[in-house]
Coordinates of all heavy atoms in Angstrom, one line a residue:
Y247 N 24.2 -2.8 -15.5 CA 24.3 -1.4 -16.0 C 23.2 -0.5 -15.3 O 23.5 0.7 -15.1 CB 24.1 -1.3 -17.5 CG 25.3 -1.7 -18.3 CD1 25.2 -2.6 -19.4 CD2 26.5 -1.0 -18.1 CE1 26.3 -2.9 -20.1 CE2 27.6 -1.3 -18.9 CZ 27.5 -2.3 -19.9 OH 28.6 -2.6 -20.6
A248 N 22.0 -1.1 -15.1 CA 20.9 -0.3 -14.5 C 21.3 0.1 -13.1 O 20.9 1.2 -12.6 CB 19.6 -1.1 -14.5
D249 N 22.0 -0.7 -12.3 CA 22.2 -0.5 -10.9 C 23.6 -1.1 -10.5 O 23.6 -2.0 -9.8 CB 21.1 -1.1 -10.1 CG 21.1 -0.5 -8.6 OD1 22.0 0.1 -8.2 OD2 20.1 -0.8 -7.9
P250 N 24.7 -0.5 -11.0 CA 26.0 -1.1 -10.8 C 26.4 -1.1 -9.3 O 27.1 -2.1 -8.9 CB 26.9 -0.2 -11.6 CG 26.2 1.1 -11.8 CD 24.7 0.7 -11.8
I251 N 26.0 -0.2 -8.5 CA 26.4 -0.2 -7.1 C 25.7 -1.4 -6.4 O 26.4 -2.2 -5.7 CB 25.9 1.1 -6.4 CG1 26.8 2.3 -7.0 CG2 26.1 1.0 -4.9 CD1 26.3 3.6 -6.6
F252 N 24.4 -1.7 -6.7 CA 23.8 -2.8 -6.1 C 24.4 -4.1 -6.6 O 24.5 -5.1 -5.9 CB 22.3 -2.8 -6.3 CG 21.6 -4.0 -5.7 CD1 21.4 -4.1 -4.4 CD2 21.2 -5.0 -6.5 CE1 20.8 -5.2 -3.8 CE2 20.6 -6.1 -6.0 CZ 20.4 -6.2 -4.6
A253 N 24.7 -4.1 -7.9 CA 25.2 -5.4 -8.5 C 26.5 -5.8 -7.8 O 26.7 -7.0 -7.6 CB 25.5 -5.1 -10.0
K254 N 27.3 -4.8 -7.5 CA 28.6 -5.1 -6.8 C 28.3 -5.6 -5.4 O 28.9 -6.5 -4.9 CB 29.5 -3.9 -6.8 CG 30.1 -3.7 -8.2 CD 30.9 -2.4 -8.2 CE 31.3 -2.2 -9.7 NZ 32.1 -0.9 -9.8
R255 N 27.3 -5.0 -4.7 CA 26.9 -5.5 -3.4 C 26.4 -6.9 -3.5 O 26.8 -7.8 -2.7 CB 25.8 -4.6 -2.8 CG 26.2 -3.3 -2.2 CD 25.0 -2.6 -1.6 NE 24.3 -3.3 -0.6 CZ 23.0 -3.2 -0.4 NH1 22.2 -2.4 -1.2 NH2 22.4 -3.9 0.5
L256 N 25.5 -7.2 -4.4 CA 24.9 -8.5 -4.6 C 26.0 -9.5 -4.9 O 26.1 -10.6 -4.2 CB 24.0 -8.5 -5.8 CG 23.4 -9.8 -6.3 CD1 22.4 -10.3 -5.2 CD2 22.6 -9.6 -7.6
W257 N 27.0 -9.2 -5.7 CA 28.1 -10.1 -6.1 C 29.0 -10.4 -4.8 O 29.3 -11.5 -4.5 CB 28.9 -9.5 -7.2 CG 30.2 -10.2 -7.5 CD1 31.4 -9.8 -7.4 CD2 30.3 -11.5 -8.2 NE1 32.3 -10.7 -7.9 CE2 31.6 -11.8 -8.4 CE3 29.3 -12.5 -8.6 CZ2 32.1 -13.0 -8.9 CZ3 29.8 -13.6 -9.2 CH2 31.1 -13.9 -9.3
K258 N 29.3 -9.3 -4.1 CA 30.2 -9.4 -2.9 C 29.6 -10.2 -1.8 O 30.1 -11.2 -1.3 CB 30.6 -8.0 -2.4 CG 31.5 -8.1 -1.2 CD 31.9 -6.6 -0.8 CE 32.7 -6.7 0.5 NZ 32.0 -6.2 1.6
I259 N 28.4 -9.9 -1.5 CA 27.7 -10.6 -0.4 C 27.3 -12.0 -0.8 O 27.4 -12.9 0.0 CB 26.4 -9.8 0.0 CG1 26.8 -8.4 0.7 CG2 25.5 -10.6 1.0 CD1 25.7 -7.5 0.9
G260 N 26.9 -12.2 -2.1 CA 26.6 -13.5 -2.6 C 27.8 -14.4 -2.5 O 27.7 -15.6 -2.1
R261 N 29.0 -13.9 -2.8 CA 30.2 -14.8 -2.7 C 30.5 -15.1 -1.3 O 30.9 -16.2 -1.0 CB 31.3 -14.1 -3.4 CG 31.2 -14.1 -4.9 CD 32.5 -13.6 -5.6 NE 33.5 -13.1 -4.8 CZ 34.4 -12.2 -5.2 NH1 34.4 -11.7 -6.4 NH2 35.3 -11.8 -4.3
E262 N 30.2 -14.1 -0.4 CA 30.5 -14.4 1.0 C 29.6 -15.5 1.6 O 30.1 -16.3 2.4 CB 30.3 -13.1 1.8 CG 31.4 -12.1 1.6 CD 31.1 -10.7 2.3 OE1 30.1 -10.6 3.1 OE2 31.8 -9.8 2.1
V263 N 28.4 -15.6 1.2 CA 27.5 -16.6 1.7 C 27.4 -17.9 0.9 O 26.8 -18.8 1.2 CB 26.0 -16.0 1.9 CG1 26.0 -14.9 2.8 CG2 25.3 -15.7 0.6
G264 N 28.1 -17.8 -0.3 CA 28.2 -19.0 -1.1 C 27.1 -19.2 -2.1 O 26.7 -20.3 -2.5
A265 N 26.5 -18.1 -2.4 CA 25.4 -18.1 -3.4 C 25.9 -18.6 -4.8 O 27.1 -18.3 -5.1 CB 24.7 -16.8 -3.5
T266 N 25.0 -19.1 -5.6 CA 25.4 -19.5 -6.9 C 24.8 -18.5 -7.9 O 23.6 -18.1 -7.8 CB 24.7 -20.9 -7.3 OG1 25.3 -21.9 -6.4 CG2 25.1 -21.3 -8.7
F267 N 25.7 -18.0 -8.8 CA 25.3 -17.0 -9.8 C 25.4 -17.7 -11.2 O 26.3 -18.4 -11.5 CB 26.2 -15.8 -9.8 CG 26.0 -15.0 -8.5 CD1 26.9 -15.0 -7.5 CD2 24.9 -14.2 -8.4 CE1 26.8 -14.3 -6.3 CE2 24.7 -13.4 -7.2 CZ 25.6 -13.4 -6.2
I268 N 24.4 -17.3 -12.0 CA 24.4 -17.7 -13.4 C 24.4 -16.4 -14.3 O 23.7 -15.5 -13.9 CB 23.1 -18.5 -13.8 CG1 22.9 -19.7 -12.8 CG2 23.0 -18.9 -15.2 CD1 24.0 -20.8 -12.9
T269 N 25.2 -16.4 -15.3 CA 25.3 -15.2 -16.2 C 24.3 -15.4 -17.3 O 24.1 -16.5 -17.8 CB 26.7 -15.0 -16.7 OG1 27.1 -16.1 -17.4 CG2 27.6 -14.7 -15.5
G270 N 23.8 -14.2 -17.8 CA 22.9 -14.2 -18.9 C 22.8 -12.8 -19.5 O 23.4 -11.9 -19.0
T271 N 22.0 -12.7 -20.5 CA 21.8 -11.4 -21.2 C 20.4 -10.8 -20.9 O 20.2 -9.7 -21.3 CB 22.0 -11.6 -22.7 OG1 21.0 -12.5 -23.2 CG2 23.3 -12.0 -23.1
D272 N 19.5 -11.5 -20.4 CA 18.2 -11.1 -20.2 C 17.6 -10.6 -21.5 O 16.9 -9.6 -21.6 CB 18.1 -9.9 -19.2 CG 16.6 -9.6 -18.8 OD1 15.8 -10.5 -18.7 OD2 16.3 -8.4 -18.6
A273 N 17.9 -11.4 -22.6 CA 17.5 -11.1 -23.9 C 16.0 -11.2 -24.1 O 15.4 -12.3 -23.8 CB 18.2 -11.9 -24.9
H274 N 15.3 -10.1 -24.4 CA 13.9 -10.2 -24.7 C 13.7 -10.1 -26.2 O 12.5 -10.3 -26.7 CB 13.2 -9.0 -24.0 CG 13.1 -9.1 -22.6 ND1 12.0 -9.4 -21.9 CD2 14.1 -9.1 -21.6 CE1 12.2 -9.5 -20.6 NE2 13.5 -9.3 -20.4
Q275 N 14.7 -9.8 -27.0 CA 14.7 -9.7 -28.4 C 15.9 -10.4 -29.0 O 17.0 -10.5 -28.4 CB 14.6 -8.3 -28.9 CG 13.4 -7.5 -28.4 CD 13.3 -6.1 -28.8 OE1 14.4 -5.5 -29.1 NE2 12.1 -5.5 -28.8

Side-chain angles (χ1 to χ4, degrees):
Y247 280 130
D249 195 349
I251 293 169
F252 180 75
K254 289 176 185 177
R255 280 181 60 215
L256 176 67
W257 175 247
K258 179 180 177 249
I259 293 170
R261 287 189 354 205
E262 288 173 7
V263 301
T266 300
F267 291 105
I268 306 297
T269 57
T271 60
D272 189 37
H274 290 248
Q275 297 177 336

